[in-house]
Coordinates of all heavy atoms in Angstrom, one line a residue:
M1 N 6.2 -16.0 -17.0 CA 6.1 -14.7 -16.4 C 7.0 -14.7 -15.2 O 7.1 -15.6 -14.4 CB 4.6 -14.4 -16.0 CG 4.5 -13.1 -15.3 SD 2.7 -12.8 -14.9 CE 2.6 -11.1 -15.4
A2 N 7.8 -13.6 -15.0 CA 8.8 -13.5 -13.9 C 8.1 -13.3 -12.6 O 7.0 -12.7 -12.5 CB 9.7 -12.3 -14.2
E3 N 8.7 -13.8 -11.6 CA 8.1 -13.7 -10.2 C 8.3 -12.2 -9.7 O 9.3 -11.6 -9.9 CB 8.8 -14.6 -9.3 CG 8.3 -14.6 -7.9 CD 9.0 -15.5 -6.9 OE1 9.8 -16.3 -7.4 OE2 8.8 -15.3 -5.7
I4 N 7.2 -11.7 -9.1 CA 7.3 -10.4 -8.6 C 7.7 -10.5 -7.1 O 7.1 -11.2 -6.3 CB 5.9 -9.6 -8.7 CG1 5.5 -9.5 -10.1 CG2 6.0 -8.3 -8.0 CD1 4.1 -9.0 -10.4
K5 N 8.8 -9.8 -6.8 CA 9.3 -9.8 -5.4 C 9.0 -8.5 -4.7 O 9.0 -7.4 -5.4 CB 10.8 -10.0 -5.4 CG 11.2 -11.4 -6.0 CD 12.7 -11.5 -6.0 CE 13.1 -12.9 -6.6 NZ 14.5 -13.0 -6.7
F6 N 8.6 -8.6 -3.5 CA 8.3 -7.3 -2.7 C 8.8 -7.5 -1.3 O 9.0 -8.6 -0.8 CB 6.8 -7.1 -2.7 CG 6.0 -8.1 -1.9 CD1 5.8 -8.0 -0.6 CD2 5.5 -9.2 -2.6 CE1 5.0 -8.9 0.1 CE2 4.8 -10.2 -1.9 CZ 4.5 -10.0 -0.5
E7 N 9.1 -6.3 -0.7 CA 9.5 -6.3 0.7 C 8.8 -5.1 1.4 O 8.9 -4.0 0.9 CB 11.0 -6.1 0.8 CG 11.5 -6.0 2.2 CD 13.0 -5.8 2.3 OE1 13.7 -5.7 1.3 OE2 13.5 -5.6 3.5
I8 N 8.1 -5.4 2.4 CA 7.4 -4.4 3.2 C 8.4 -3.7 4.1 O 8.9 -4.4 5.0 CB 6.2 -4.9 4.0 CG1 5.1 -5.5 3.0 CG2 5.6 -3.8 4.9 CD1 4.0 -6.2 3.7
K9 N 8.8 -2.5 3.8 CA 9.8 -1.8 4.6 C 9.2 -1.2 5.9 O 9.9 -1.1 6.9 CB 10.4 -0.6 3.8 CG 11.1 -1.1 2.5 CD 12.4 -1.8 2.8 CE 13.2 -2.0 1.6 NZ 14.5 -2.6 1.9
E10 N 7.9 -0.7 5.8 CA 7.3 -0.1 6.9 C 5.8 -0.2 6.8 O 5.3 0.0 5.7 CB 7.7 1.3 7.1 CG 7.2 2.0 8.3 CD 7.6 3.5 8.5 OE1 8.5 3.9 7.7 OE2 7.1 4.2 9.3
T11 N 5.1 -0.6 7.8 CA 3.6 -0.7 7.8 C 3.1 0.6 8.4 O 3.5 1.0 9.5 CB 3.1 -1.9 8.6 OG1 3.6 -3.1 8.0 CG2 1.6 -1.9 8.6
M12 N 2.4 1.4 7.6 CA 1.9 2.7 8.0 C 0.6 2.5 8.8 O 0.4 3.3 9.8 CB 1.7 3.6 6.8 CG 2.8 3.7 5.8 SD 4.4 4.1 6.6 CE 4.2 5.8 6.9
G13 N -0.3 1.6 8.4 CA -1.5 1.4 9.1 C -2.5 0.6 8.3 O -2.3 0.4 7.1
T14 N -3.6 0.2 9.0 CA -4.7 -0.6 8.4 C -5.9 0.3 8.4 O -6.3 0.9 9.4 CB -4.9 -1.9 9.2 OG1 -3.8 -2.7 9.3 CG2 -6.1 -2.7 8.7
L15 N -6.5 0.3 7.2 CA -7.7 1.1 7.0 C -9.0 0.3 7.4 O -10.0 0.9 7.9 CB -7.8 1.7 5.6 CG -7.0 2.9 5.3 CD1 -5.6 2.6 5.3 CD2 -7.5 3.5 3.9
S16 N -9.0 -0.9 7.0 CA -10.2 -1.8 7.3 C -9.8 -3.2 7.2 O -8.8 -3.6 6.7 CB -11.3 -1.4 6.3 OG -10.9 -1.7 4.9
Q17 N -10.8 -4.1 7.6 CA -10.6 -5.5 7.5 C -11.9 -6.1 6.9 O -13.0 -5.7 7.3 CB -10.3 -6.1 8.8 CG -10.0 -7.6 8.7 CD -9.6 -8.2 10.0 OE1 -10.4 -8.2 11.0 NE2 -8.4 -8.7 10.1
S18 N -11.8 -7.0 5.9 CA -12.9 -7.6 5.3 C -13.4 -8.8 6.2 O -12.6 -9.3 7.0 CB -12.5 -8.2 3.9 OG -11.8 -9.3 4.0
P19 N -14.6 -9.3 5.9 CA -15.1 -10.4 6.7 C -14.2 -11.7 6.5 O -14.2 -12.5 7.4 CB -16.5 -10.7 6.1 CG -16.9 -9.3 5.5 CD -15.6 -8.7 5.1
K20 N -13.5 -11.7 5.4 CA -12.6 -12.9 5.2 C -11.2 -12.7 5.9 O -10.3 -13.6 5.7 CB -12.4 -13.1 3.7 CG -13.7 -13.6 3.0 CD -13.4 -13.9 1.6 CE -14.8 -14.4 0.9 NZ -14.6 -14.8 -0.5
G21 N -11.0 -11.6 6.5 CA -9.8 -11.4 7.3 C -8.7 -10.6 6.5 O -7.6 -10.4 7.1
W22 N -9.0 -10.2 5.3 CA -8.0 -9.4 4.5 C -8.0 -8.0 5.0 O -9.0 -7.4 5.4 CB -8.3 -9.5 3.1 CG -8.0 -10.7 2.4 CD1 -8.3 -12.0 2.8 CD2 -7.2 -10.9 1.2 NE1 -7.8 -12.9 1.9 CE2 -7.2 -12.3 0.9 CE3 -6.6 -10.0 0.3 CZ2 -6.5 -12.8 -0.2 CZ3 -6.0 -10.5 -0.8 CH2 -5.9 -11.9 -1.1
N23 N -6.8 -7.4 5.1 CA -6.7 -6.0 5.6 C -6.3 -5.1 4.4 O -5.5 -5.4 3.6 CB -5.6 -5.9 6.6 CG -5.9 -6.6 7.9 OD1 -7.0 -6.6 8.3 ND2 -4.9 -7.2 8.5
K24 N -7.0 -3.9 4.4 CA -6.6 -2.9 3.5 C -5.5 -2.0 4.2 O -5.8 -1.4 5.2 CB -7.8 -2.0 3.1 CG -7.5 -1.0 2.0 CD -8.7 -0.3 1.5 CE -9.8 -1.2 1.1 NZ -9.9 -1.7 -0.2
E25 N -4.3 -2.1 3.7 CA -3.2 -1.5 4.4 C -2.4 -0.4 3.6 O -2.4 -0.6 2.3 CB -2.1 -2.6 4.8 CG -2.6 -3.6 5.7 CD -1.6 -4.7 6.0 OE1 -0.4 -4.5 5.6 OE2 -2.0 -5.7 6.6
L26 N -1.9 0.5 4.2 CA -0.9 1.5 3.6 C 0.4 1.1 4.1 O 0.7 1.1 5.4 CB -1.2 2.9 4.0 CG -0.3 4.0 3.4 CD1 -0.3 4.0 1.9 CD2 -0.6 5.3 4.0
N27 N 1.3 0.7 3.2 CA 2.7 0.3 3.6 C 3.7 1.0 2.7 O 3.4 1.5 1.6 CB 2.9 -1.2 3.3 CG 2.0 -2.1 4.2 OD1 2.0 -1.9 5.4 ND2 1.2 -2.9 3.6
L28 N 4.9 1.1 3.2 CA 6.1 1.5 2.4 C 6.7 0.2 1.9 O 7.1 -0.6 2.7 CB 7.0 2.3 3.2 CG 8.2 3.0 2.5 CD1 7.7 4.0 1.4 CD2 9.1 3.7 3.4
L29 N 6.7 0.1 0.5 CA 7.0 -1.2 0.0 C 7.9 -1.1 -1.2 O 7.8 -0.2 -2.0 CB 5.6 -1.8 -0.5 CG 5.6 -3.3 -0.8 CD1 4.3 -3.9 -0.1 CD2 5.5 -3.6 -2.2
S30 N 8.9 -2.0 -1.3 CA 9.8 -2.1 -2.4 C 9.5 -3.2 -3.3 O 9.3 -4.4 -2.9 CB 11.3 -2.3 -1.8 OG 12.2 -2.5 -2.9
W31 N 9.3 -2.9 -4.6 CA 9.0 -3.9 -5.6 C 10.2 -4.3 -6.4 O 10.9 -3.4 -6.9 CB 7.9 -3.4 -6.6 CG 6.6 -3.1 -6.0 CD1 6.1 -1.9 -5.6 CD2 5.6 -4.1 -5.7 NE1 4.8 -2.1 -5.0 CE2 4.5 -3.5 -5.1 CE3 5.5 -5.5 -5.8 CZ2 3.3 -4.1 -4.7 CZ3 4.3 -6.2 -5.4 CH2 3.3 -5.5 -4.9
N32 N 10.6 -5.5 -6.4 CA 11.7 -6.0 -7.2 C 13.0 -5.3 -6.9 O 13.8 -5.0 -7.8 CB 11.4 -6.0 -8.7 CG 10.3 -6.9 -9.0 OD1 10.2 -8.0 -8.5 ND2 9.4 -6.4 -9.9
G33 N 13.2 -5.0 -5.6 CA 14.4 -4.3 -5.2 C 14.6 -2.8 -5.5 O 15.6 -2.2 -5.3
K34 N 13.5 -2.3 -6.0 CA 13.6 -0.8 -6.4 C 13.3 0.0 -5.2 O 12.9 -0.4 -4.1 CB 12.5 -0.5 -7.5 CG 12.9 -1.3 -8.8 CD 11.9 -0.9 -9.9 CE 12.3 -1.7 -11.1 NZ 11.3 -1.5 -12.2
E35 N 13.4 1.4 -5.4 CA 13.2 2.3 -4.3 C 11.7 2.2 -3.8 O 10.8 2.0 -4.5 CB 13.4 3.7 -4.8 CG 13.3 4.8 -3.7 CD 13.6 6.2 -4.2 OE1 14.4 6.3 -5.2 OE2 13.2 7.1 -3.6
P36 N 11.6 2.2 -2.4 CA 10.3 2.0 -1.8 C 9.3 3.1 -2.2 O 9.7 4.2 -2.4 CB 10.5 2.0 -0.3 CG 12.0 1.7 -0.2 CD 12.6 2.3 -1.4
K37 N 8.0 2.7 -2.4 CA 6.9 3.6 -2.6 C 5.8 3.3 -1.6 O 5.8 2.2 -1.1 CB 6.4 3.4 -4.1 CG 7.4 3.9 -5.1 CD 6.7 3.8 -6.5 CE 7.7 4.3 -7.5 NZ 7.1 4.4 -8.8
Y38 N 4.9 4.2 -1.5 CA 3.7 4.0 -0.6 C 2.7 3.2 -1.4 O 2.5 3.4 -2.6 CB 3.2 5.4 -0.2 CG 4.1 6.1 0.7 CD1 5.1 7.0 0.2 CD2 4.1 5.8 2.1 CE1 6.0 7.6 1.0 CE2 5.0 6.5 2.9 CZ 6.0 7.3 2.4 OH 6.9 8.0 3.2
D39 N 2.2 2.2 -0.8 CA 1.4 1.2 -1.4 C 0.1 1.0 -0.6 O 0.1 0.7 0.6 CB 2.2 -0.1 -1.5 CG 1.4 -1.2 -2.3 OD1 1.6 -1.2 -3.5 OD2 0.7 -2.0 -1.6
L40 N -1.1 1.1 -1.3 CA -2.4 0.9 -0.7 C -3.1 -0.3 -1.4 O -3.3 -0.2 -2.6 CB -3.2 2.1 -0.8 CG -4.6 2.1 -0.2 CD1 -4.5 1.9 1.3 CD2 -5.3 3.4 -0.5
R41 N -3.3 -1.4 -0.6 CA -4.0 -2.6 -1.2 C -4.5 -3.5 -0.1 O -4.1 -3.3 1.0 CB -3.1 -3.3 -2.2 CG -1.9 -4.1 -1.5 CD -1.0 -4.8 -2.6 NE -0.4 -3.8 -3.4 CZ -0.6 -3.7 -4.7 NH1 -1.3 -4.6 -5.3 NH2 0.0 -2.8 -5.4
D42 N -5.2 -4.5 -0.5 CA -5.7 -5.5 0.4 C -4.7 -6.6 0.5 O -4.0 -7.0 -0.5 CB -7.0 -6.2 -0.2 CG -8.2 -5.2 -0.1 OD1 -8.2 -4.4 0.8 OD2 -9.1 -5.3 -1.0
W43 N -4.5 -7.1 1.7 CA -3.5 -8.2 2.0 C -4.2 -9.3 2.7 O -5.0 -9.1 3.6 CB -2.4 -7.7 2.8 CG -1.4 -6.8 2.1 CD1 -1.5 -5.4 2.0 CD2 -0.3 -7.1 1.3 NE1 -0.5 -4.9 1.3 CE2 0.3 -6.0 0.8 CE3 0.3 -8.4 1.0 CZ2 1.4 -6.0 0.0 CZ3 1.4 -8.4 0.2 CH2 2.0 -7.2 -0.3
A44 N -3.8 -10.6 2.4 CA -4.2 -11.7 3.2 C -3.6 -11.6 4.5 O -2.6 -10.9 4.7 CB -3.8 -13.0 2.5
P45 N -4.1 -12.3 5.5 CA -3.6 -12.2 6.9 C -2.1 -12.3 7.1 O -1.5 -11.5 7.9 CB -4.3 -13.3 7.7 CG -5.6 -13.5 6.9 CD -5.2 -13.3 5.5
E46 N -1.4 -13.2 6.4 CA 0.1 -13.3 6.6 C 0.8 -12.7 5.4 O 2.0 -13.1 5.3 CB 0.4 -14.8 6.8 CG -0.3 -15.5 8.0 CD 0.1 -14.8 9.3 OE1 1.3 -14.5 9.5 OE2 -0.8 -14.7 10.2
H47 N 0.2 -11.8 4.7 CA 0.8 -11.2 3.5 C 1.3 -12.2 2.5 O 2.2 -12.0 1.7 CB 2.0 -10.3 3.9 CG 1.6 -9.1 4.7 ND1 1.9 -9.0 6.0 CD2 0.8 -8.0 4.4 CE1 1.4 -7.8 6.5 NE2 0.7 -7.3 5.5
E48 N 0.6 -13.4 2.4 CA 1.0 -14.4 1.4 C 0.3 -14.2 0.1 O 0.7 -14.7 -0.9 CB 0.7 -15.8 1.9 CG -0.8 -16.2 2.0 CD -1.5 -15.7 3.3 OE1 -0.9 -15.0 4.1 OE2 -2.7 -16.1 3.6
K49 N -0.8 -13.4 0.1 CA -1.5 -13.0 -1.1 C -1.9 -11.5 -1.0 O -2.0 -11.0 0.1 CB -2.8 -13.8 -1.3 CG -2.5 -15.3 -1.6 CD -3.9 -16.0 -1.8 CE -3.7 -17.5 -2.0 NZ -5.0 -18.2 -2.2
M50 N -2.1 -10.9 -2.2 CA -2.4 -9.5 -2.2 C -3.5 -9.3 -3.3 O -3.6 -10.0 -4.2 CB -1.2 -8.6 -2.5 CG -0.6 -8.8 -3.9 SD 0.9 -7.9 -4.2 CE 2.1 -9.1 -3.6
G51 N -4.2 -8.2 -3.1 CA -5.2 -7.8 -4.1 C -4.6 -6.6 -4.9 O -3.5 -6.2 -4.7
K52 N -5.4 -6.1 -5.8 CA -5.0 -5.0 -6.6 C -4.9 -3.8 -5.7 O -5.6 -3.6 -4.7 CB -6.0 -4.7 -7.7 CG -6.1 -5.8 -8.8 CD -7.0 -5.5 -9.9 CE -7.0 -6.6 -10.9 NZ -8.0 -6.3 -12.0
G53 N -4.0 -2.9 -6.1 CA -3.8 -1.7 -5.3 C -3.1 -0.6 -6.1 O -3.1 -0.7 -7.4
I54 N -2.7 0.4 -5.4 CA -2.0 1.5 -6.1 C -0.7 1.8 -5.3 O -0.6 1.6 -4.1 CB -2.9 2.8 -6.1 CG1 -3.2 3.3 -4.7 CG2 -4.1 2.6 -6.9 CD1 -3.8 4.7 -4.7
T55 N 0.3 2.3 -6.1 CA 1.5 2.8 -5.5 C 1.7 4.3 -5.7 O 1.3 4.8 -6.8 CB 2.7 2.0 -6.0 OG1 2.8 2.2 -7.5 CG2 2.7 0.5 -5.7
L56 N 2.2 4.9 -4.8 CA 2.4 6.4 -4.8 C 3.8 6.8 -4.4 O 4.3 6.2 -3.4 CB 1.4 7.1 -3.9 CG -0.1 6.8 -4.2 CD1 -0.9 7.3 -3.0 CD2 -0.5 7.5 -5.4
T57 N 4.4 7.7 -5.1 CA 5.6 8.3 -4.6 C 5.3 9.2 -3.4 O 4.2 9.5 -3.1 CB 6.3 9.2 -5.7 OG1 5.4 10.3 -6.0 CG2 6.6 8.4 -7.0
K58 N 6.4 9.6 -2.7 CA 6.2 10.5 -1.5 C 5.5 11.8 -2.0 O 4.5 12.2 -1.3 CB 7.5 10.8 -0.9 CG 7.4 11.6 0.4 CD 8.8 11.7 1.1 CE 8.6 12.4 2.4 NZ 9.9 12.5 3.1
Q59 N 5.8 12.3 -3.1 CA 5.2 13.6 -3.6 C 3.7 13.3 -3.9 O 2.9 14.2 -3.6 CB 5.9 14.1 -4.8 CG 5.4 15.5 -5.3 CD 5.5 16.6 -4.2 OE1 6.4 16.6 -3.4 NE2 4.4 17.4 -4.1
E60 N 3.4 12.2 -4.5 CA 2.0 11.9 -4.9 C 1.2 11.7 -3.6 O 0.0 12.1 -3.5 CB 1.9 10.6 -5.7 CG 2.4 10.8 -7.1 CD 2.6 9.6 -7.9 OE1 2.9 8.5 -7.3 OE2 2.4 9.6 -9.1
L61 N 1.8 11.1 -2.6 CA 1.1 10.9 -1.3 C 0.8 12.3 -0.6 O -0.2 12.5 -0.1 CB 1.9 10.0 -0.4 CG 1.2 9.6 0.9 CD1 0.0 8.7 0.6 CD2 2.2 8.8 1.8
K62 N 1.8 13.2 -0.7 CA 1.6 14.5 -0.2 C 0.5 15.2 -0.9 O -0.4 15.9 -0.2 CB 2.9 15.4 -0.3 CG 4.0 15.0 0.7 CD 5.2 15.9 0.4 CE 6.3 15.5 1.4 NZ 7.5 16.4 1.2
E63 N 0.4 15.1 -2.2 CA -0.7 15.7 -3.0 C -2.0 15.1 -2.6 O -3.0 15.8 -2.5 CB -0.4 15.6 -4.5 CG 0.8 16.4 -4.9 CD 0.6 17.9 -4.7 OE1 -0.5 18.5 -4.8 OE2 1.6 18.6 -4.2
L64 N -2.1 13.8 -2.4 CA -3.3 13.1 -2.0 C -3.7 13.6 -0.6 O -4.9 13.8 -0.4 CB -3.1 11.6 -2.0 CG -4.3 10.8 -1.6 CD1 -5.5 11.0 -2.5 CD2 -3.9 9.3 -1.6
K65 N -2.8 13.8 0.3 CA -3.1 14.3 1.6 C -3.7 15.6 1.5 O -4.7 15.9 2.2 CB -1.9 14.3 2.5 CG -2.1 14.7 3.9 CD -0.9 14.7 4.7 CE -1.1 15.2 6.1 NZ 0.1 15.3 6.9
K66 N -3.2 16.5 0.7 CA -3.7 17.9 0.5 C -5.1 17.8 0.0 O -6.0 18.5 0.4 CB -2.9 18.7 -0.4 CG -1.6 19.3 0.1 CD -1.1 20.3 -0.9 CE 0.4 20.1 -1.0 NZ 1.0 20.9 -2.0
L67 N -5.3 17.0 -1.0 CA -6.6 16.8 -1.6 C -7.7 16.3 -0.6 O -8.8 16.8 -0.5 CB -6.5 15.8 -2.8 CG -7.8 15.5 -3.5 CD1 -8.4 16.8 -4.2 CD2 -7.6 14.4 -4.6
L68 N -7.3 15.3 0.2 CA -8.2 14.7 1.2 C -8.5 15.7 2.3 O -9.7 15.8 2.7 CB -7.6 13.4 1.8 CG -7.6 12.2 0.8 CD1 -6.8 11.1 1.5 CD2 -8.9 11.8 0.4
N69 N -7.5 16.5 2.6 CA -7.8 17.6 3.7 C -8.7 18.6 3.2 O -9.4 19.3 4.0 CB -6.4 18.2 4.1 CG -5.7 17.3 5.0 OD1 -6.2 16.4 5.7 ND2 -4.4 17.5 5.1
S70 N -8.8 18.8 1.9 CA -9.7 19.9 1.3 C -11.1 19.4 1.1 O -12.0 20.2 0.8 CB -9.1 20.4 0.0 OG -9.3 19.4 -1.0
I71 N -11.4 18.1 1.3 CA -12.7 17.5 1.1 C -13.4 17.5 2.4 O -12.9 17.0 3.4 CB -12.6 16.1 0.5 CG1 -12.0 16.1 -0.8 CG2 -14.0 15.5 0.5 CD1 -11.7 14.7 -1.4
E72 N -14.6 18.1 2.4 CA -15.4 18.0 3.6 C -16.2 16.7 3.6 O -17.0 16.5 2.7 CB -16.3 19.2 3.7 CG -17.0 19.4 5.1 CD -17.7 20.7 5.3 OE1 -17.2 21.7 4.7 OE2 -18.7 20.7 6.0
L73 N -16.0 15.9 4.7 CA -16.8 14.7 4.8 C -17.8 14.7 5.8 O -17.8 15.4 6.8 CB -15.8 13.5 5.1 CG -14.6 13.3 4.1 CD1 -13.7 12.3 4.7 CD2 -15.2 12.8 2.8

């Protein structure tokens, strides 16, 4: 299996931290040298390991923002 390469272009923020020290972060991230996308997932403290997550284009992130703004919490 080929190695997956990533580069965090910009850290947008941290949503939470687990008791084990992993952070749920929103980052602008490039996978395998491709155009950066918004990425939401759990990261180990030094970004040496990652959990499952989702990637969103800028348009998808805008639609998610609209959807979240329409939800009353």
Side-chain angles (χ1 to χ4, degrees):
M1 182 177 220
E3 182 182 346
I4 298 172
K5 297 179 183 177
F6 66 90
E7 180 182 356
I8 297 175
K9 299 288 190 176
E10 185 178 349
T11 299
M12 311 307 287
T14 299
L15 278 69
S16 63
Q17 186 176 61
S18 76
K20 293 184 178 183
W22 284 50
N23 292 325
K24 188 174 307 273
E25 299 178 7
L26 178 63
N27 296 307
L28 187 60
L29 199 134
S30 173
W31 294 100
N32 297 319
K34 295 182 181 175
E35 185 172 335
K37 292 186 177 183
Y38 294 91
D39 183 88
L40 180 62
R41 72 182 62 243
D42 290 327
W43 288 93
E46 300 299 321
H47 294 112
E48 70 276 9
K49 292 182 181 179
M50 67 184 89
K52 292 182 180 179
I54 62 167
T55 58
L56 302 165
T57 64
K58 187 174 185 176
Q59 185 59 40
E60 289 170 330
L61 188 63
K62 285 179 179 181
E63 292 301 319
L64 178 59
K65 182 178 178 182
K66 280 191 225 175
L67 179 64
L68 291 173
N69 285 337
S70 73
I71 298 172
E72 190 168 329
L73 300 174

